[in-house]
């Protein structure tokens, strides 16, 4: 199981990034929120671009924004392995997926709790990852929606039936107890469970 660490609820981002850099976490998960697609707003790119000063980990960028096409070229300049945006956006999804690929970066689509797995079918040939939201996106510290477990199993069946090798990632309310509900996933994203603790590595290890 791969682990991504989110610092959405971090009270001291530079310090937490440096601490995460000393762990074996697989990715730093960057939540990008514009205050429009979701109610929350995160650090602007002019500050986020300096993340390399605090961590050398590969980045998993999650765009919770109305206009992914504005943000894709920016975050493609960082140490980014994945860029994921939401299927619920109104922009041309296929065009944005192709744009990510043009930067030689792996692309993903995120789906909100109310979105059907079947909505992904037209885009499966392009996808390297699918991010299943197990909370309403935008705010950290929420409780895991237990129905996500069935959704993940449905998604695994869908990917297998289409012979698609995309990773399944889960984001929201992840901790030691909810991790077992994500057993069919390839990667889980944890935020406050890690960053609110005194021992980041211990919490990361408990999720694997």
């Amino acid at each position: 199981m791969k682990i991504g660490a989110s610092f959405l609820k971090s009270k001291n981002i530079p310090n937490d990034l440096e601490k995460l850099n000393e762990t074996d976490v697989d990715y730093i998960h960057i939540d990008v929120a514009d205050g429009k697609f979701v109610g929350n707003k995160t650090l602007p790119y002019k500050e986020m671009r300096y993340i390399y000063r605090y961590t050398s980990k590969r980045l998993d960028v999650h765009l919770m924004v109305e206009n992914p096409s504005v943000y894709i070229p920016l975050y493609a300049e960082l140490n980014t392995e994945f860029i994921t945006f939401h299927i619920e956006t109104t922009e041309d999804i296929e065009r944005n997926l192709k744009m990510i690929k043009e930067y030689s970066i792996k692309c993903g689509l995120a789906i909100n709790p109310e979105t059907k797995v079947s909505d992904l079918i037209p885009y499966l040939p392009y996808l390297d990852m699918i991010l299943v939201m197990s909370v309403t996106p935008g705010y950290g510290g929420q409780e895991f929606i237990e129905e996500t477990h069935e959704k993940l199993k449905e998604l695994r069946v869908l990917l297998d039936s289409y012979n698609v090798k995309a990773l399944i990632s889960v984001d929201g309310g992840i901790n030691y107890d909810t991790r077992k509900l994500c057993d069919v996933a390839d990667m889980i994203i944890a935020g406050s469970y890690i960053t609110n603790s005194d021992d980041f590595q211990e919490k990361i290890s408990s999720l694997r």
Side-chain angles (χ1 to χ4, degrees), residues 66-120:
E66 280 189 348
N67 306 108
S69 61
V70 174
Y71 295 83
I72 290 168
L74 299 176
Y75 285 88
E77 296 297 318
L78 304 182
N79 185 25
T80 302
E81 183 161 340
F82 294 96
I83 295 180
T84 298
F85 63 93
H86 277 259
I87 197 172
E88 298 87 4
T89 58
T90 56
E91 286 193 330
D92 187 318
I93 292 172
E94 186 175 322
R95 184 188 64 191
N96 282 338
L97 291 172
K98 289 179 178 178
M99 183 190 301
I100 295 170
K101 292 284 193 181
E102 287 171 1
Y103 287 101
S104 298
I105 291 173
K106 297 172 184 176
C107 65
L109 276 178
I111 55 174
N112 285 341
E114 67 276 9
T115 300
K116 296 178 181 178
V117 165
S118 58
D119 291 351
L120 292 162

Side-chain angles (χ1 to χ4, degrees), residues 40-77:
N40 193 20
K41 196 169 186 179
T42 51
L43 288 175
Y45 177 76
K46 64 181 179 181
E47 295 181 42
M48 199 66 76
R49 63 186 292 205
Y50 297 112
I51 192 172
Y52 70 89
R53 294 178 177 174
Y54 308 102
T55 180
S56 59
K57 298 283 187 182
R58 297 304 304 275
L59 307 179
D60 170 28
V61 178
H62 176 199
L63 300 178
M64 299 180 286
V65 299
E66 280 189 348
N67 306 108
S69 61
V70 174
Y71 295 83
I72 290 168
L74 299 176
Y75 285 88
E77 296 297 318

